[in-house]
Every structure is written in structure tokens, then in C-alpha cells.
């Protein structure tokens, strides 16, 4: 089922990409934004496995002295690792979001903060305008991750690069992303 959804997603992605390129915009920029694929899982254990399948992951090397080995995601456009080089993508297109990810995940690590420094600073400026100057300095990683989710598909925002979201019961929580084109439910 995921393969069938992905094939349709890829066609939609390429169509939008081609249309944007024909209008003279950068090949990776879209007039609106790339389509978004959502995989809704029934629990955090399933969501972690689906995330690994779609986004890829690192596993320990054969011995303790060996570097980790990369297992890229099965779908090129959604893999967080470049399929050709095995290197992590600077802006990972797939995001795992559930209560465990919000509280215990390393998704908002120092590298994430470095890559998205401009977007995080904009978020903090906007946050300070709404909640007072001192409030922005107390923003936690979970709030940054929530902001990524809240801005999926919005230009120049933390979630602009997201193409795939893997979650638990996301659609029951009232989340709204206008660029979602594909939803797969897994029980």
C-alpha cells in the first residue's frame, strides 16, 4: 500500500516540480509547496518502525570500532538520507511526530538548530511578539518540533521542507496542513 501511495505521490511531486520549473522558479521550489504524505499509525511502536522504513536509519557497525551503517529509506523523495551517498540530508523531508517524539526525541538536536537557525530565529521573534520579549528565550525543543508541525508546507517556516509526516492518531488532534495530498492509515 505504501508503494502504491508513494508512486502516486512521486507523480504529484514531479508534476508540481515541473510546473514550478516551467514558470522559471528554482527546480526544488514550488509555487505553493511540495505535496505532503501522512502515515497515521495506531501506536508509538508502529510509528517508529514506519518512520525507519520511510525515512531510513543508522544501525551500529559490525564491531564497536566501526562507524554506524546507514539504511536509507525505501522512497527516495522521503528518505532522510541521500540514497547515493548515504549521508543525512541537511533538511530531512520525513518527520516522526508523536507524544514520545515530542518529549524524548533527538530530532531537534544541535545540527537541526544549525540548519534551521534562520527559521528558528523567525519563530522566536514571532513568539516574542505574541508572548512578550523574555518568553522566546524559554522555548523548549518540543515547542520547536510543534512549530515544525504547525508550519508544514508554509514558505520560509520551520516546516516548509517536510514532505512526509509519520504520526500516531494525528488526524484526531485537529491538525491542519493544506498541502496534504496522501494519507495512509496503518493499524
Amino acid at each position: 500500500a505504501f508503494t502504491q501511495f508513494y508512486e502516486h505521490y512521486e507523480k504529484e511531486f514531479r508534476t508540481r516540480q515541473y510546473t514550478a520549473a516551467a514558470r522559471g522558479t528554482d527546480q526544488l521550489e514550488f509555487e505553493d509547496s511540495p505535496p505532503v504524505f501522512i502515515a497515521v499509525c495506531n501506536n508509538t511502536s508502529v510509528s517508529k518502525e514506519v518512520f525507519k522504513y520511510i525515512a531510513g536509519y543508522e544501525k551500529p557497525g559490525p564491531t564497536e570500532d566501526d562507524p554506524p551503517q546507514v539504511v536509507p529509506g525505501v522512497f527516495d523523495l522521503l528518505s532522510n538520507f541521500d540514497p547515493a551517498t548515504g549521508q543525512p540530508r541537511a533538511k530531512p523531508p520525513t518527520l516522526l511526530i508523536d507524544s514520545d517524539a515530542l518529549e524524548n526525541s533527538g530530532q531537534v538536536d544541535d545540527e537541526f538548530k544549525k540548519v534551521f537557525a534562520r527559521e528558528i530565529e523567525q519563530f522566536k521573534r514571532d513568539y516574542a511578539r505574541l508572548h512578550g520579549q523574555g518568553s522566546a528565550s524559554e522555548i523548549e525543543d518540543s515547542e520547536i518540533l510543534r512549530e515544525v508541525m504547525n508550519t508544514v508546507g508554509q514558505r520560509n517556516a520551520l516546516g516548509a521542507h517536510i514532505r512526509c509526516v509519520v504520526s500516531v492518531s494525528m488526524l484526531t488532534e485537529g491538525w491542519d496542513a493544506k498541502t496534504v495530498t496522501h494519507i495512509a492509515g496503518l493499524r
Side-chain angles (χ1 to χ4, degrees), residues 5-180:
F5 269 102
Y6 176 75
E7 288 169 356
H8 189 267
Y9 172 88
E10 184 178 32
K11 184 178 178 185
E12 176 71 18
F13 183 93
R14 299 291 180 212
T15 299
R16 288 186 188 198
Q17 190 178 39
Y18 175 77
T19 303
R23 291 192 173 118
T25 60
D26 183 317
Q27 184 174 339
L28 295 177
E29 294 252 341
F30 296 84
E31 184 172 295
D32 48 9
S33 62
V36 176
F37 183 107
I38 298 176
V40 182
C41 304
N42 63 335
N43 63 53
T44 57
S45 297
V46 171
S47 69
K48 286 176 187 172
E49 292 305 313
V50 169
F51 177 77
K52 285 171 36 179
Y53 177 74
I54 293 174
Y57 58 97
E58 290 182 339
K59 65 180 183 179
T63 68
E64 281 186 29
D65 297 333
D66 291 325
Q69 296 176 330
V70 170
V71 178
V74 295
F75 307 124
D76 289 351
L77 291 174
L78 306 179
S79 178
N80 287 351
F81 297 90
D82 184 304
T85 65
Q87 295 298 310
R89 289 187 167 151
K91 293 189 174 184
T94 297
L95 177 71
L96 172 64
I97 189 83
D98 56 36
S99 57
D100 188 49
L102 284 170
E103 302 307 322
N104 304 314
S105 175
Q107 291 185 75
V108 182
D109 58 11
D110 290 339
E111 185 64 23
F112 180 95
K113 291 175 183 176
K114 184 174 132 187
V115 169
F116 293 100
R118 184 177 59 86
E119 291 90 347
I120 291 171
E121 282 308 309
Q122 181 61 47
F123 169 58
K124 286 183 176 183
R125 281 193 298 274
D126 294 344
Y127 193 90
R129 258 194 308 268
L130 291 172
H131 303 285
Q133 283 297 52
S135 61
S137 63
E138 297 178 19
I139 292 175
E140 295 181 9
D141 290 349
S142 61
E143 291 173 285
I144 291 173
L145 198 52
R146 281 188 179 91
E147 180 64 11
V148 171
M149 282 304 304
N150 291 334
T151 59
V152 166
Q154 295 180 18
R155 285 180 164 275
N156 301 317
L158 277 167
H161 67 286
I162 299 295
R163 298 179 194 157
C164 179
V165 176
V166 178
S167 179
V168 176
S169 304
M170 174 189 295
L171 300 178
T172 63
E173 297 172 7
W175 179 68
D176 180 32
K178 294 169 180 50
T179 60
V180 172

